[in-house]
Amino acid sequence: MTDSVTKGTGRYILRSLGQADVLLDGQSVVWPARSAEELLWFLHAFPDGRYRHDILSQLWGLEDSTAAANRFRVALHRLRAALDWPDAVTEKGGRYRLNPELLAASDTYRLHQALRASRASETSRKREELLRQALASADGEYLPHLQGEWVEQARAHHRAAVVDGYLTLSQMHCAAHECPLGAQALVNAAQQIP
């Protein structure tokens, strides 16, 4: 899937599965500081947003202080500048979140959207098509270059969704008496478990 979003001054694609990357106009974003990239991916993992004190604590292990608040402001400024989009991160009621349009340019967003669409599909053929499309995009570990409790929780969430997708596909094949395909879907589900 190559969906992207055009905002600010360029096209964005967020790849969080496998080799994580952020593309702007087809070029990898060069991060001025690791904290800016970490902030982007942290907010990506929490689409509903987080308060500054939660970001400081969960992402960097810092207590809310003047120095920590300054680190956050600098990282936020650098993130927005690297993406050349002042509204890449929004704040409402003290909660910071990725702009929904930027989030929609993410491979994991499209994965979960396709999984939801497959569950809502009225025909088994369409459901299977959407499941296959979703699972084809689930290639690789979520943010493999990052460590921390927050990213492990996000990995587990994405992995569980993929496993559920394969189990559903297996059940569909078994119901259609396509046992070899059902067995392969079970093998694929098992391969997702570390």
Side-chain angles (χ1 to χ4, degrees):
M1 295 182 179
T2 59
D3 291 351
S4 63
V5 64
T6 302
K7 282 291 172 196
T9 60
R11 289 173 48 106
Y12 300 87
I13 298 174
L14 278 66
R15 295 183 183 149
S16 59
L17 298 170
Q19 184 67 31
D21 199 5
V22 177
L23 302 174
L24 170 58
D25 291 331
Q27 300 294 316
S28 291
V29 169
V30 176
W31 296 102
R34 183 166 171 87
S35 60
E37 181 188 11
E38 290 172 340
L39 180 58
L40 171 99
W41 292 123
F42 182 83
L43 294 173
H44 178 268
F46 299 103
D48 294 334
R50 286 291 185 262
Y51 293 103
R52 184 183 70 188
H53 63 87
D54 293 326
I55 296 168
L56 292 171
S57 171
Q58 295 170 10
L59 179 58
W60 294 310
L62 301 173
E63 292 189 27
D64 205 352
S65 66
T66 302
N70 187 50
R71 178 178 181 172
F72 173 76
R73 280 191 299 277
V74 169
L76 180 60
H77 172 77
R78 288 177 173 168
L79 185 162
R80 290 171 170 161
L83 296 180
D84 195 23
W85 188 6
D87 293 329
V89 175
T90 61
E91 181 272 329
K92 185 175 181 181
R95 289 179 77 88
Y96 292 84
R97 62 179 46 98
L98 284 184
N99 186 303
E101 294 179 43
L102 183 59
L103 190 62
S106 163
D107 54 358
T108 48
Y109 175 88
R110 290 187 307 277
L111 166 68
H112 289 278
Q113 184 179 21
L115 289 171
R116 282 190 298 277
S118 74
R119 286 190 290 274
S121 179
E122 294 181 15
T123 67
S124 61
R125 181 180 173 128
K126 184 66 175 171
R127 187 174 191 193
E128 179 181 347
E129 177 185 322
L130 289 168
L131 267 174
R132 287 189 179 285
Q133 175 187 357
L135 295 170
S137 70
D139 188 26
E141 190 72 42
Y142 181 71
L143 301 177
H145 68 299
L146 296 176
Q147 301 297 318
E149 187 176 323
W150 68 271
V151 78
E152 290 300 330
Q153 291 172 352
R155 280 184 191 129
H157 169 73
H158 296 303
R159 191 178 303 120
V162 171
V163 168
D164 184 58
Y166 278 120
L167 292 176
T168 300
L169 190 58
S170 176
Q171 291 171 340
M172 292 175 70
H173 286 306
C174 287
H177 303 288
E178 300 168 336
C179 295
L181 293 174
Q184 182 59 52
L186 286 175
V187 168
N188 291 342
Q191 290 174 340
Q192 302 301 311
I193 302 169

